[in-house]
Each structure stands twice: as structure tokens, then as C-alpha cells.
Amino acid sequence: MNTQMADKVSNAGGFIAALDQSGGSTPKALRGYGISEDAYSTEEEMFDLMHAMRARIIKSPAFTGDKVLGAILFEMTMDRDIDGTPTAEYLWNEKQVVPFLKIDKGLMDEENGVQLLKPMPGLDELLARAAAKGIFGTKERSVINAANPVGIKAIVDQQFEVANQVLAAGLMPILEPEITITISDKVEAEEMLKTEILKHLDAMPADKQVMLKLSLPSTDNVYAELIAHPRVMRVVALSGGYSRDEANDILTRQNGMIASFSRGLAEGISAQQSDEDFDATIATAIDSIYAASIT
């Protein structure tokens, strides 16, 4: 594991940009950027447009390691270049931003109130390829839709099973058991999730750590024990459907939690903007998310 990257992620102020929209969420992300479905006719063209959007964000003058600690990439983004340089290498060498990779293949159908990760065939090969490209860590997302103890235990068990595979490959896993923000029993789900995660953390070897990406909580600082746990490098928050202002407001109240926003980061940018307006919009977003992450 790259010790410079580990030190930055562990200790520096800032947040992690989520630039990992995948096949299912790409059309929505492009619509938000002002590109409708009639602008492309194939999946390849769609991903070309998405990569152009991500590259524009990464190349923006405000997008630097001073405020953006890391960036989570989609696999196709990792495999592409920015100005002739592989994306992960560009992020670290040009921007001092630590590269992560989304590794999950989507969600299974809901059972016991949760959606587990789909099988990930070829994961060891992907992890080896990611490490060779300079990726520091990974992220896998599953979803909790109810405070069901059986489902939540299953989701946490699976997340740590994948995390152990990632750690064995020399990479840092970000576990993302997202709680849907609109469910009526979200408070109860947060407590169940914390309890199950703590069981796994307490059983981890002393020389290992993971990262956690969690929904912004309904109970302020409910995840304080996770943030303080010696087996946790960092706890980051997903915006989960909140507007950027709402997400920043909630995050500001969480001691030691930093942002890892996707929609919140891209809010307000469009393909039609001039570079000057685009860069100003991104700068405003980065400044506000950074401020909420260091409060």
C-alpha cells in the first residue's frame, strides 16, 4: 500500500469525490450535466461523454489535493486517460488526489430489507490490475431499506468478506452499506448497522484497517465509535439524495466524518457552461463540501 497516499487519506483535511457513476446511473448523471439521451446512440458513446465530464471536473483548477483527498473512479474511467496519462496516475501525479476504484457489479434483489452485492467474478484479477495502475483503494455499495437485523447482519458480513479480499490484494477497502434516507426506521437501522460493524472491527487483526462510507445519519454522531475505532482509517459520508446544502448542513454536525459526495459535487455544472463558469461552479461546490468536512 502506498504510504504517502495512506498518510494523506488518514490525516489530511478534505473530502473524497465520488466520480463512479456506473452503467445504470450514467444516463441520469449525464441528464444532470445537460446531456440528454438523444445525444448518444450507443453505450460506448454514452461512456465517452461521461468520461469527458469526469475529466473536465478533474482538470478544473479547483480540483486539487488541497481540498479533495481522493476520487472514486468507475472501472472504465480507470482504464482511460486524461491528456494522454492514465486517470489514476494523472490524479496522483498532477493533482495529489488519491485514486479509488468502484468494484461492485450492482445489487441483488431485496431480501430481508436489504440488497446485497451481486457476485463479483474475476475480482482478484480486477484488484491486481487496479494495484498495477496505482489505485489505492476500492469501494463496494450495498443498500439497507429496512431496520431488519437479519438483513443488516448479512449485508455487513458480505461487506467485510469483500474487504478481506481487497486487503489481501494490498488495497484499502471502503465498505459502503448505504441506508436509504427515506425509510421510516432509519434511526433503528443506524444503530443495528453500527453494532454489526463494531463486531467485525473488534475481530480484525491489529495491523489492518478499513474505511467506511455511510449515509448521513439521522442521529448526530451516532457513528462516533466507528470514527474513533483503531481499525478504521476514515469514515466518509454519502449524500444519498440530499441536496448539497442539506448534506453539508448534516455533515457539519458529525464530528470526524468527511464527505464523499457524487450528486452534491456535480450539482450546478453543465456541458453548456463556459470553462470559466464551469470552474467557478466546481470551485464553489468544492469549497462548501471541504468546509463541511473539516468543521
Side-chain angles (χ1 to χ4, degrees):
M1 190 175 290
N2 185 307
T3 55
Q4 283 184 295
M5 292 183 185
D7 180 65
K8 177 152 199 162
V9 173
S10 298
N11 301 312
F15 68 95
I16 295 176
L19 304 176
D20 59 330
Q21 300 91 345
S22 57
S25 57
T26 299
K28 184 177 180 181
L30 284 173
R31 284 196 301 274
Y33 185 52
I35 297 176
S36 60
E37 282 90 334
D38 59 11
Y40 50 88
S41 55
T42 67
E43 188 175 81
E44 184 178 0
E45 290 175 351
M46 178 183 75
F47 284 121
D48 285 345
L49 290 167
M50 196 69 220
H51 184 67
M53 171 187 160
R54 290 169 176 148
R56 195 180 187 195
I57 292 171
I58 290 168
K59 290 171 64 176
S60 185
F63 194 95
T64 72
D66 293 339
K67 295 180 179 178
V68 183
L69 294 181
I72 305 170
L73 306 176
F74 180 46
E75 185 179 345
M76 285 188 182
T77 310
M78 177 186 75
D79 289 335
R80 295 182 184 225
D81 295 349
I82 296 177
D83 290 349
T85 300
T87 303
E89 186 180 324
Y90 184 95
L91 278 168
W92 182 242
N93 291 342
E94 300 296 328
K95 297 286 189 165
Q96 286 293 290
V97 172
V98 177
F100 292 81
L101 176 68
K102 167 190 163 71
I103 58 171
D104 66 78
K105 303 300 182 185
L107 302 170
M108 296 180 67
D109 292 337
E110 184 174 322
E111 185 176 353
N112 294 319
V114 304
Q115 290 177 274
L116 295 171
L117 301 162
K118 286 182 177 178
M120 291 180 274
L123 179 57
D124 284 333
E125 290 81 3
L126 176 60
L127 295 174
R129 193 157 57 84
K133 287 179 175 286
I135 294 288
F136 172 72
T138 64
K139 189 211 77 168
E140 70 272 0
R141 169 183 172 265
S142 44
V143 175
I144 297 167
N145 293 315
N148 181 311
V150 174
I152 290 175
K153 180 181 186 304
I155 217 168
V156 174
D157 287 350
Q158 186 189 45
Q159 284 278 345
F160 273 91
E161 181 182 354
V162 175
N164 288 332
Q165 195 171 350
V166 173
L167 287 167
L171 300 173
M172 170 56 60
I174 301 177
L175 291 66
E176 185 182 9
E178 174 182 351
I179 299 177
T180 302
I181 64 171
T182 54
I183 62 174
S184 60
D185 50 3
K186 182 167 176 279
V187 170
E188 293 81 2
E190 289 169 2
E191 289 291 346
M192 290 179 187
L193 178 62
K194 178 177 69 173
T195 298
E196 290 299 327
I197 291 174
L198 282 170
K199 290 177 186 176
H200 281 272
L201 293 175
D202 290 343
M204 283 180 62
D207 62 340
K208 300 295 184 185
Q209 286 186 308
V210 298
M211 294 174 64
L212 302 170
K213 181 168 179 173
L214 306 174
S215 299
L216 288 161
S218 295
T219 303
D220 287 347
N221 295 305
V222 68
Y223 296 129
E225 289 173 86
L226 303 180
I227 293 166
H229 201 286
R231 302 285 80 75
V232 176
M233 178 175 280
R234 210 79 191 244
V235 177
V236 305
L238 59 109
S239 50
Y242 292 115
S243 71
R244 183 169 66 232
D245 287 346
E246 288 175 314
N248 284 340
D249 181 58
I250 299 169
L251 181 61
T252 299
R253 304 196 300 268
Q254 315 309 316
N255 299 325
M257 198 176 203
I258 66 172
S260 179
F261 296 168
S262 173
R263 186 184 299 109
L265 175 63
E267 192 176 299
I269 63 170
S270 77
Q272 291 75 34
Q273 285 174 316
S274 67
D275 287 344
E276 184 179 4
D277 288 345
F278 179 92
D279 291 338
T281 303
I282 280 290
T284 297
I286 287 173
D287 288 348
S288 71
I289 298 169
Y290 173 78
S293 296
I294 63 170
T295 300

